[in-house]
Amino acid sequence: MSVELRRNGLHLTGTPLSLDAKRKSPLSFVSHAHADHIARHERTIATAATLRLMAHRLGTVHAPLAVPYGRPFALGPLTLELLPAGHVLGSAQIRVTREDGKRIVYTGDISLAPSLTAEPAQVAECDVLVIESTFGHPRYVFPPREEVLGQVESWVRRHLERGAVPVLLAYALGKSQEAMKYLADRGFPLVAHPSIYEVTKLYGELGVPIEPLRRYEGRVEPGEVLFFPPHLHRGGALAPLWPRATAVLTGWAVDGAGATRRYGADVAFPLSDHADCPSLVRYAKATGARDVITLHGFAEELAEVLRGHGLDARALGAPRQLSLL
């Protein structure tokens, strides 16, 4: 069995299983419901939460197989098991065990930081690890999440006190809910763009309520904090809100002023739902894998760092095949 990077994503050769395929596939594991990881597959393996969030984004999910964490099941001669990834609500890693006992893990996007709104990641022991490398460059070292959220809270309070509308730019799924939960628990009333509001209400139905929350319909009441998608705020949608201050929540904030310019924000806070480089290294070592395949993002850089820690690591870049085991 080998892992092959095809145009539509990863595939385990010799099996019917794709991993986070980007286009319709006969059978795909979906690690989480971010847009770049989902498609209308003929059959989908995912957690119940991911399937629910997928349905919200894509409509009906055909032939879904909702799999609880930590409950192995058979796919032909293979045994499959989903484990929490800590990225967003319902995110999962998958461990594939062959008949001879050899274990392969694909992490999908993963975060090891404690989260208010996602299940804590679990180390998936394995022989071969395929790990996402979004922030795999050594320069990406994130401050503790609680520290960053405290900075966000201070920024919000400061602008509310001067009578400005604090606008937090964050992706509709995952990062918004993390920051919203933190602020809501501290008594801030929240208002959110419809795309964020609808996902947050789904979080509530899935056991992670976030209140008080109101749907944004063009106005912000005194004392409210507005959450807005980063890609929509440049078109003048926020022009009626004045005075206002905007902050973007992104791991790319580590890059400094470049992140604020990229998103057109006043300030950027390094809040990420991905693991930073040191966390990826710790995770790879903790799995006990003797072979590590890095994927996407800074895959080459992470593989080099891992080799420096004594691991047999290589990057899977352009569509090609690497043998496993």
Side-chain angles (χ1 to χ4, degrees):
M1 183 165 56
S2 60
V3 62
E4 181 181 11
L5 182 58
R6 299 178 176 176
R7 290 183 181 274
N8 71 335
L10 285 176
H11 185 81
L12 288 182
T13 61
T15 81
L17 184 64
S18 295
L19 306 170
D20 279 341
K22 298 178 181 178
R23 301 176 186 172
K24 183 177 181 180
S25 300
L27 173 66
S28 184
F29 162 68
V30 175
S31 64
H32 65 284
H34 277 149
D36 58 337
H37 287 256
I38 61 177
R40 295 179 175 88
H41 305 299
E42 294 177 21
R43 292 186 295 163
T44 301
I45 296 171
T47 65
T50 292
L51 290 168
R52 184 79 177 277
L53 290 161
M54 280 183 67
H56 169 71
R57 295 191 148 187
L58 297 179
T60 301
V61 177
H62 299 287
L65 176 58
V67 180
Y69 295 125
R71 188 175 300 176
F73 65 101
L75 179 67
L78 304 174
T79 299
L80 276 55
E81 183 180 9
L82 303 193
L83 300 167
H87 178 53
V88 300
L89 185 63
S91 60
Q93 311 168 72
I94 188 169
R95 179 161 54 198
V96 180
T97 305
R98 302 190 323 190
E99 286 182 289
D100 62 5
K102 299 296 185 182
R103 303 159 300 172
I104 302 161
V105 164
Y106 166 66
T107 63
D109 289 332
I110 190 167
S111 175
L112 307 184
S115 172
L116 300 173
T117 55
E119 303 86 352
Q122 180 177 336
V123 174
E125 296 179 355
C126 58
D127 302 289
V128 175
L129 176 67
V130 183
I131 188 167
E132 291 268 7
S133 313
T134 304
F135 289 103
H137 194 287
R139 74 172 178 267
Y140 291 106
V141 180
F142 300 144
R145 183 172 290 182
E146 188 75 15
E147 176 183 316
V148 177
L149 287 168
Q151 292 170 354
V152 172
E153 179 185 3
S154 296
W155 180 88
V156 166
R157 288 190 186 278
R158 184 167 68 251
H159 288 289
L160 286 174
E161 287 170 0
R162 74 176 185 88
V165 176
V167 181
L168 294 174
L169 306 175
Y171 294 138
L173 168 59
K175 212 172 305 180
S176 282
Q177 288 73 37
E178 183 76 10
M180 293 169 84
K181 179 68 172 171
Y182 182 88
L183 293 175
D185 287 351
R186 281 152 182 78
F188 291 93
L190 309 174
V191 57
H193 181 275
S195 62
I196 299 174
Y197 176 86
E198 291 165 5
V199 171
T200 306
K201 285 302 180 184
L202 270 177
Y203 264 54
E205 294 175 15
L206 293 166
V208 185
I210 299 173
E211 297 288 351
L213 175 63
R214 185 174 65 79
R215 182 189 183 100
Y216 178 65
E217 296 177 343
R219 61 181 177 81
V220 176
E221 301 294 341
E224 287 184 328
V225 182
L226 174 61
F227 280 77
F228 213 79
H231 67 286
L232 294 180
H233 90 286
R234 286 182 178 271
L238 300 179
L241 303 180
W242 193 259
R244 69 176 183 275
T246 57
V248 63
L249 309 180
T250 174
W252 303 115
V254 172
D255 291 333
T260 58
R261 289 194 299 269
R262 181 190 309 177
Y263 294 98
D266 300 316
V267 64
F269 292 102
L271 183 69
S272 180
D273 47 21
H274 291 78
D276 62 6
C277 185
S279 297
L280 292 170
V281 172
R282 287 196 302 273
Y283 183 83
K285 294 170 71 172
T287 65
R290 62 179 179 83
D291 290 303
V292 181
I293 298 168
T294 58
L295 180 72
H296 302 321
F298 291 97
E300 294 284 356
E301 291 83 354
L302 180 60
E304 183 178 354
V305 171
L306 291 171
R307 288 193 294 271
H309 284 264
L311 298 179
D312 185 358
R314 58 218 191 270
L316 184 60
R320 60 191 175 113
Q321 188 178 103
L322 289 176
S323 290
L324 299 178
L325 308 174

